[in-house]
Amino acid sequence: MKFKKLLFIALMLIAIKSWGNSAPWVGATLEGLPCNGGGQGFGPYDYSHRAGLDEQLHIVEGAHFTPEVENLLNGKSSTLEGDLNYTLRAWPNHHRALLSIIKYQLNINKKITPGKLSTPPECYLQRAIRFSPEDVGSYSLFGHYLRKTGHTDEAAKYYQKALAIDPKNAKVAYSFSFLLIDLKRYEEAVKYAKIAYQQDAKTPNALKQKLEKLGAWKE
């Protein structure tokens, strides 16, 4: 009983510390409207510091971010959008949930999924960056989303911000290189492609092959 009491006190202290962090809605939608996504409930917690917050993460993921929700099949405790919203309000920079909300919006854009999101991905992403400004994942995901929606120049800025924090991040360098190919900035694309291959031997060959076909890759 004494151990359980101490554990409860420890969890409460962690929670109180986390509640002291602010996670306001900031920025605007791609259409220029102010971002808003509802009030703060449980949390907010920083996903990049989730080690030691297993209980808080389990509470949210167990009830709102199941594999079915993550893969956009159906909701768990609410609607699909409601569960994703709850997850991201509690964990603003939850990388997998951010990717799911991005896929949701892209499916809507492609007419695969009907309807309209109450809060678009760009609002969750700006909030995530405001909440945890050193989290490379949020910048990279924003770059990915902006590229997929045709905002390529803006996408480049977010990839550059991610790499300013972590210059040797192979995954970010790989994605950024593909964007630079879209922008026909081939010399820079090769530069970041080589960073990706130098940092991770498992980096797919698709990028190198594309640059070779363009005549840009030189050993």
Side-chain angles (χ1 to χ4, degrees), residues 67-82:
E68 290 78 13
V69 173
E70 181 171 9
N71 291 295
L72 307 179
L73 299 175
N74 53 260
K76 171 65 174 177
S77 299
S78 178
T79 62
L80 180 55
E81 181 183 357

Side-chain angles (χ1 to χ4, degrees), residues 15 18-21 23 40-45 60 86 89-92 127 131:
S18 295
W19 290 332
N21 296 332
Q40 186 64 54
F42 190 64
Y45 302 105
V60 174
Y86 188 98
R89 280 188 293 117
W91 293 85
R127 178 172 176 263
F131 178 68

Side-chain angles (χ1 to χ4, degrees), residues 156 159-160 163 171-180 185 192:
Y159 280 123
Q160 288 170 327
L163 288 165
K171 290 183 178 179
V172 178
Y174 182 81
S175 297
F176 187 31
S177 183
F178 270 112
L179 172 64
L180 290 167
R185 291 159 57 179
Y192 287 101

Side-chain angles (χ1 to χ4, degrees), residues 2-21:
K2 184 177 180 181
F3 172 76
K4 289 184 178 180
K5 185 176 181 181
L6 290 172
L7 178 61
F8 174 77
I9 293 172
L11 290 172
M12 286 301 296
L13 288 172
I14 292 171
I16 290 168
K17 183 178 179 181
S18 295
W19 290 332
N21 296 332

Side-chain angles (χ1 to χ4, degrees), residues 65-112:
F65 195 66
T66 60
E68 290 78 13
V69 173
E70 181 171 9
N71 291 295
L72 307 179
L73 299 175
N74 53 260
K76 171 65 174 177
S77 299
S78 178
T79 62
L80 180 55
E81 181 183 357
D83 280 325
L84 288 171
N85 177 264
Y86 188 98
T87 302
L88 288 167
R89 280 188 293 117
W91 293 85
N93 57 328
H94 192 300
H95 301 152
R96 288 162 40 221
L98 285 169
L99 183 57
S100 291
I101 203 73
I102 288 170
K103 289 179 178 177
Y104 199 150
Q105 181 64 59
L106 295 177
N107 285 345
I108 291 173
N109 293 352
K110 296 174 184 176
K111 310 299 182 184
I112 296 172

Side-chain angles (χ1 to χ4, degrees), residues 37-55:
Q40 186 64 54
F42 190 64
Y45 302 105
D46 191 336
Y47 193 71
S48 60
H49 298 295
R50 59 192 178 278
L53 293 169
D54 293 343
E55 181 68 20

